[in-house]
Structures are given as structure tokens and as C-alpha cells.
Amino acid sequence: MFTIQVATKHHFDWAAKICEEMESSAKIRGTGIAKRSPDYIKQKMEEGKAIIALTEDHRWAGFCYIETWQNEEYVANSGLIVDPKFRQGGLAKMIKAKIFELSRTKFPNSKIFGLTTGLAVMKINSELGYQPVTYSELTNDEQFWNGCKSCVNYEILKSKDFKNCLCTAMLYVNNNKEKEDAKREDSISI
């Protein structure tokens, strides 16, 4: 049983462990991940832009955070990591659902996106309503793409002029909001 909640400053002690596991996991899989510092993870916790999963005895089990781009037009759910002891049990799916819910609550007008090489994450994203897209449908914020510099595949991304790479781009657009806005516009014009 896990407690999955919005991370706060009370979880700062886990920041270094989270960063270590992110880096270790990426090396084992031979895939890229934007490297983050413990201070960066703490900032996300302090801003209320992170989800942490803890065991019943308060051990760290998983984590994910939110980043915004282009004046909050785009939101990325990034850094999903689960302690290896707790993988294959559905925890990643629970964390992704919680960070997705937090993203939609905090940024209801934003497009939510992610880049991944992992099939499991692609399946989770699909279940949440994400669609595979081309990189041109993602943020063009240079700072986002600079985050890829620590990825082992960065040279591929750069050589493709940031138009594609080994990651699959996925995007969620709140179509219900667009429908609500259209209804509102129709009722105003009547």
C-alpha cells in the first residue's frame, strides 16, 4: 500500500535519492533522461508541482514532477521514477494518474505533453488520453530542449534539428475545455 500525494518541503530529504535513481535507471536502460539536481527537485516540491509515493512505513517509492513552458501553454509531466523494489506493480500508473490530475487542476488550459522511450509510459499516457504527435506540436521553448542536453541521445536530436529523436512525443489536449468554450461562444452569439 502506498500514499501518493503532492510533495512538499517535508519531503526534501528524498530529493538526492530521487535524482540518484533517475540517473541510475536511465543508465541501466541505456536511454536518455534530463538530469536534474536535488535543488531542482526540492524547488518542484516547494512549488506544489510534484507527486511523491511513500510506503506505509514512510520509505520513498516513486516520484514525478510538473514543468511549464511558453507561459503555461504547455505542461510536461517529467521525471517519472519508481524505486526498483516497487516496479511491475502498477505504482508508475498510479503516480502518472495523480500528476496528470494535478496538472489539469493547476493548469486547466494547458496542453500536457511528454517524451518517452518507454513502452510502459506510452501505454499509461495513452490510457490517460495522450496521443502520439510530431515534435512540431510540442513547445518550442529553447529551455525545454536544453534539458535534453544530458540525454545520451542529444546528438541525434540536434542532428535532426529538434524535429525528432528516439523518444516518442505524446500530447494531451483538453478537448472538453474546447467544447465548453465553443458552447459558451455559441450562447453569447445567440
Side-chain angles (χ1 to χ4, degrees):
M1 183 71 176
F2 301 100
T3 301
I4 302 168
Q5 63 193 45
V6 176
T8 68
K9 64 183 180 181
H10 296 90
H11 301 108
F12 279 8
D13 290 346
W14 294 112
K17 172 70 174 158
I18 290 165
C19 290
E20 289 168 17
E21 192 54 51
M22 285 178 177
E23 187 172 355
S24 172
S25 179
K27 284 180 183 174
I28 289 168
R29 291 188 328 265
T31 60
I33 190 165
K35 192 171 182 175
R36 300 294 182 228
S37 70
D39 285 341
Y40 184 85
I41 297 301
K42 289 176 185 177
Q43 177 187 346
K44 293 298 161 191
M45 291 174 173
E46 195 164 41
E47 293 171 346
K49 293 180 179 176
I51 295 295
I52 193 164
L54 302 172
T55 63
E56 288 178 332
D57 59 350
H58 305 287
R59 289 180 293 135
W60 173 77
F63 182 80
C64 194
Y65 65 88
I66 296 170
E67 190 58 84
T68 59
W69 307 101
Q70 286 180 234
N71 297 313
E72 300 177 359
E73 182 180 346
Y74 292 90
V75 170
N77 294 165
S78 299
L80 175 65
I81 191 70
V82 173
D83 184 304
K85 294 183 288 284
F86 304 113
R87 291 181 184 161
Q88 306 301 317
L91 181 57
K93 186 175 183 175
M94 291 185 276
I95 293 169
K96 278 292 279 188
K98 193 76 167 179
I99 197 77
F100 182 73
E101 175 187 319
L102 181 63
S103 297
R104 292 192 64 203
T105 300
K106 287 180 89 68
F107 307 101
N109 300 320
S110 300
K111 298 173 186 172
I112 304 171
F113 75 98
L115 289 173
T116 186
T117 56
L119 180 59
V121 173
M122 285 181 228
K123 286 181 179 180
I124 294 168
N125 285 350
S126 292
E127 290 172 10
L128 291 170
Y130 288 68
Q131 299 291 318
V133 295
T134 62
Y135 281 34
S136 65
E137 293 185 59
L138 305 181
T139 181
N140 59 13
D141 191 311
E142 191 174 318
Q143 285 298 107
F144 171 78
W145 297 104
N146 283 342
C148 294
K149 285 183 178 177
S150 61
C151 175
V152 297
N153 300 316
Y154 182 71
E155 289 304 316
I156 295 169
L157 176 65
K158 198 167 118 181
S159 73
K160 301 285 187 174
D161 200 26
F162 300 89
K163 292 182 179 158
N164 61 31
C165 193
L166 300 182
C167 284
T168 297
M170 299 189 81
L171 182 69
Y172 173 86
V173 177
N174 185 352
N175 291 324
N176 291 336
K177 189 205 174 313
E178 291 173 4
K179 289 175 187 173
E180 290 166 10
D181 289 347
K183 282 181 187 176
R184 219 174 292 123
E185 287 175 19
D186 287 346
S187 66
I188 292 170
S189 63
I190 294 176

